[in-house]
Amino acid sequence: MTTPATTFREFLTVLEDAGALTEIETPVSWDLEASAITMAANAADERIPVFEFVEGNGRAARLVGDPYRGPRGREFDHLARAFDLPKPARQSGPAYYDQLIDRLEEQREPTVVEPETAPCKEVVRTRAAENTDASAIGSANTNTDTANPDANLLEFPWPYIHQQDGGRYATLTTLVAPDPDGEWGRWSRHRAMIHGESRASVLFLAGEQLPNRYYYEYERRGEAMPVALTLGAGPAVTAASEMWIPVGRSEATFAGGLQESPAELVPCETNDLRVPASAELVIEGRILPEERLDEGPFGDYFGYVNGPRRSMPVLAVDAITHRDRPYLPFCVEGSGVGYASNSTSSMQVAAAGPDATLGLRAAGYDVAMAAPWPYTERTVWVIATDRPYPGALHELANFIFTTWGMLHIDCFVFVDREVNPLDSRAVLEALALHADPATDFHQFGVERMPKVPLNIYQTPDEKGSAAVGTSKSKTAKAYIDALSEGDRPTQTIGDPKERRRARDLLAEAGVAGVAAEVDAMGEPHSALDQEMDATQHPQHHQNR
Amino acid sequence: MTAFRKHLEFLHRTDDCRTLFRPADCSPQVIAAEGLRAGGPAVEMEPGTDGEGTPTATTVTLASGVYGGIDQSRGQRTTDSRHRQRYPWTRLGIGLGIDQDPAYTDVLESLLALGERRDERDVTYVERAADATAQDLRELGLPTPPDEAWPRFTLGLLSIGTDRGSYWAPIHGTVLDGNTIRARVPTAVAERDLLETGTAVTIALGVPPEALAATHLLAITDRLETPIEDRGVGATVPVIPTAGGVVPSSAEVVIETTVADRQPATQSEKREFWERLDEGTTLTLESDAIFTRENPVVPFTPLGVPLSDDLQLAALSLSATLFDRVNSYWGVSPVDWLLLPAEGRLGLCIVASEILYAGFEWQLANLLFSLSDCFDKVLVVDTEISPRNLGRALGDSWVKAHPSRDWLVSEPEAPSARMPAYGRNGAGDGNRGEDGDSDTGARLYVDATWDPRWTDEFIAPQVSFTESYPPEIRTAVHDSWAAFGFDRRPLIDRERDP
């Protein structure tokens, strides 16, 4: 009996045990080379590279390229292993969603550990007093490395990811920020472009919870927002940071549910926040008011390099704490489009999707599954559902566009609840055959909704200065009704028993992949569907 | 020319075919359908010893997925043995003798060549390979689909001999008893007084890929009126005269028949996919003689399921035809490739084209709508997208096309498309009424190309291995790839259509 991996190092062990890791001892440069190797590995569905020796940095810190990328077609598999989910959850997307949703429903309060026992405090460095705002410094610390007191971002081998990028980036982060509604803080993922020893610009897009808090509360009061940017904080922390957790709840409790044990937190050195104790690296600091630095261009999740440079809020570094020889995970953004996956696309499938499915059900929508379209990292989602009453899809789409879908998602494709949204063939078939251009393509051309300036279809003029992280011009947020009217073409023949026998025979004959085909299209595609009858499903229209 | 058994041998040689014994407790059609659903290799089913009846020398080996079977929407998986790259056109391309990794447009052009008119006949006659005799159609051991009463054959070739030459068409059907076949053939050949009651016609199974592909191409383009001796396929495939017309000499099974009934009373018949594009009709045929090769092997496909061989043959044939038409229309050839994904069952057309001038994408999409009534959706992508990367093309429809401006729906006054399922009566009948009249509908085209009016500063560079890294780093990655502990050749090498 194994237990879920709770730290990033345990997660690497899980990958190693699965034969999904390669440790590269050859010195590799952070200057494009580590990213090039990672992009090639992503494209080839290869092992995840761990760069043990980074040129110019020696063995002081290590890089890990897209550690959360799952195997193609089963992007959830590595997280399923990490969370020690039962085997069906490693083979079938719907089964994984069911299992993960169960975990998310069993949230656990975190615990606070002493700094002396926290791995992330193995090395502690603060900035010299003249570089910090003393009023922002909170709890005292005991582990400060007085021999080398200055925390310095440039000591770490931040990768230069694409040659068109505006700088070096920290990408696979969890940003911890204050929560006025709870004691554990709020977590979300924000990339940071390194500008020097003590400064970085952080991608803050208004519309998301933490940026909203910064732009419309802290900055308006002229206050800096204390934050901690963590890297390598373990799979449950990273997954929870990818989720849209409603106000009043805490990502930390969801992380505890995912790993079936409380997330261990430790107080920061220079502010009142608490951070995951096992994090490989923690950058404590403040998002300054009324200060901006360039951010971008960047090869982004669209698969293109967006520009022009934007002005984004400034992270001023107060302290850096880390493990010995920390692992710095990074994501080669933009390499998770088309067939290839990366950490972002896999996390969207394996974390954001189950969370969204649960969230929509909790809101009263009868959703079988909500998952991202497989060929883009964030732009389109597929939702398997019914149409319980006229106008239901319109209401559902625009409900999401007002919440977690407002910035990055441009379109929802609704398919029959029997269609597995992760089955790209079935989704393509639904779009091709069941979406009527005359009646089923909605809100295309209605240019009324906000859009992140990271997109590539708006001109620089339309993006404008992006003062709070949204384009000057609006866009359309659309949805497509690709539900059938009961006339879905034949998906399978024979009865389930005969099909199972056929799959066994094929597997014996060496047909790879067929044994994993456990969620038959055209049949109820999850245990949940089989076990719950219509009356057990939450019905939105009944709650109105 | 590639004899069918040679084609199968090539698939084995490229590790793209698996063999199993045909079980008694599972329909071959179900095995084939599950194999297609897994996007796996072709499957060969040898006669089993525990099946119904004892196999004889004339009992067929069955092969499924030999012309299609690749789910391109999924991309390549780690489960692929030896990590070979395969595409929906790979198996047919091998069968057409192009290459073991054929370029997509080479497959389209080879298909087109099979249907080209020839001014001079260049027919090769070779002795018939099928020299064994079966007494009874049931001896062939053709498979019976689940929930059906009679054995079924698919992917057959019908030959009708006349004074002008032989006419070939696709044929499929059921074996009602030891001598009687109920078959579906294109109405075009049945109505041209070629199939009077008592006419001798021949069915060939297990014919060369060139011959079978030509029948599907000619059927869906309504070009069955010319003897095959006057088409490219006639100069490609060696033939032998039979009681009907000439058939490929290498055919695995040859059944000489007589037309018994031109309008038998039938219940609804299952259809091969060419019948969605070309009207079919039912005939009753009486078998006069049955010849087989030793240990005959014939292709078959389950009907109506995703990714079936008949669907892929129709998809590639129609793609080839449209590719040729649009590149012959404006005096230049702006289209790099054109693909009707079998995953979309021909309800969607993807075309990669140079945009010659602002508004050209509108002309291109509407030309395609006027050339084919199959689909109601056209996606136009830039030529930098390879046909091998369907995922990237589908991704571009969302990130490159502006949802306010580049998703363009026509007024609902266009003739309705044939393939989409919405608003029709009964699954599988297309979007048209039983009387063949068209309803009207709307058409959508998505412009996922850069606006030719945009200046370079507006054009976002692609994130890709080539564009994101300088040559010296790319070379270093390639050179050290194995030393890094990776097993597979970097996919980046293989994304472009050669």
Side-chain angles (χ1 to χ4, degrees), chain A residues 280-341:
Chain A
E280 294 289 326
L281 183 122
V282 179
I283 303 167
E284 299 178 14
R286 292 151 291 130
I287 308 289
L288 303 177
E290 308 300 340
E291 287 201 39
R292 298 291 188 270
L293 284 171
D294 282 348
E295 200 278 336
F298 188 61
D300 222 316
Y301 63 84
F302 298 91
Y304 291 87
V305 181
N306 58 51
R309 279 176 175 246
R310 297 161 289 274
S311 293
M312 281 286 140
V314 177
L315 168 65
V317 177
D318 294 326
I320 297 176
T321 74
H322 61 87
R323 300 189 68 163
D324 285 329
R325 296 195 68 216
Y327 289 100
L328 302 185
F330 67 95
C331 173
V332 181
E333 291 287 9
S335 67
V337 299
Y339 299 127
S341 297

Side-chain angles (χ1 to χ4, degrees), chain A residues 35 92 179 201 213 228-229 237-238 241 308 377 402 420 433 451-452 458 504 538:
Chain A
S35 299
S92 154
D179 181 9
S201 52
R213 200 152 270 160
L229 195 71
V237 173
T238 306
S241 303
E377 293 179 17
T402 64
N420 174 359
L433 300 187
K451 184 64 185 172
V452 290
Q458 289 180 319
D504 289 343

Side-chain angles (χ1 to χ4, degrees), chain A residues 346-470:
Chain A
S346 294
M347 273 293 177
Q348 285 287 298
V349 169
D355 169 62
T357 303
L358 174 62
L360 291 173
R361 289 177 187 169
Y365 294 99
D366 182 14
V367 168
M369 266 180 83
W373 171 260
Y375 312 116
T376 61
E377 293 179 17
R378 292 175 190 267
T379 312
V380 182
W381 278 55
V382 182
I383 297 180
T385 185
D386 297 316
R387 190 188 293 104
Y389 53 90
L393 302 186
H394 177 98
E395 187 174 43
L396 176 51
N398 288 323
F399 168 75
I400 307 171
F401 283 137
T402 64
T403 58
W404 52 270
M406 72 166 287
L407 287 179
H408 299 286
I409 299 174
D410 275 353
C411 186
F412 291 103
V413 179
F414 292 105
V415 296
D416 291 341
R417 68 181 302 117
E418 290 77 20
V419 175
N420 174 359
L422 298 176
D423 181 343
S424 46
R425 186 208 60 78
V427 173
L428 184 58
E429 179 187 275
L431 262 177
L433 300 187
H434 301 304
D436 182 349
T439 59
D440 293 331
F441 288 74
H442 301 278
Q443 299 181 178
F444 286 92
V446 183
E447 210 161 336
R448 293 287 181 275
M449 294 79 158
K451 184 64 185 172
V452 290
L454 315 180
N455 76 80
I456 60 164
Y457 59 58
Q458 289 180 319
T459 67
D461 285 345
E462 289 172 326
K463 292 177 184 175
S465 64
V468 293
T470 54

Side-chain angles (χ1 to χ4, degrees), chain A residues 22 43 45-47 161 164 303-305 339 375 429 432-433 435 447 462 487 490 498-499 501 503 510, chain B residues 18 25 27 34 72-73 78-79 345 377 390 392 396 405 421 461 463 467-469 484-485 487-488 491:
Chain A
T22 181
D45 200 15
E46 258 287 1
R47 293 185 176 92
I161 296 175
Q164 303 94 337
Y304 291 87
V305 181
Y339 299 127
Y375 312 116
E429 179 187 275
L433 300 187
E447 210 161 336
E462 289 172 326
D487 51 6
T490 300
E498 192 173 14
R499 290 202 294 273
R501 169 78 173 134
R503 289 194 292 270
Chain B
R18 297 285 181 276
D25 59 348
S27 160
E34 291 300 302
Q72 198 187 1
S73 74
T78 51
T79 50
R345 303 206 196 209
K377 303 171 189 81
L390 178 64
R392 186 92 200 202
D396 268 10
R405 304 166 202 163
V463 173
E467 296 201 30
S468 299
Y469 305 105
F484 290 151
D487 293 334
R488 289 162 223 147
L491 187 67

Side-chain angles (χ1 to χ4, degrees), chain B residues 205-218:
Chain B
L205 304 178
V207 298
E210 293 95 331
L212 184 66
T215 65
H216 286 250
L217 177 78
L218 297 173

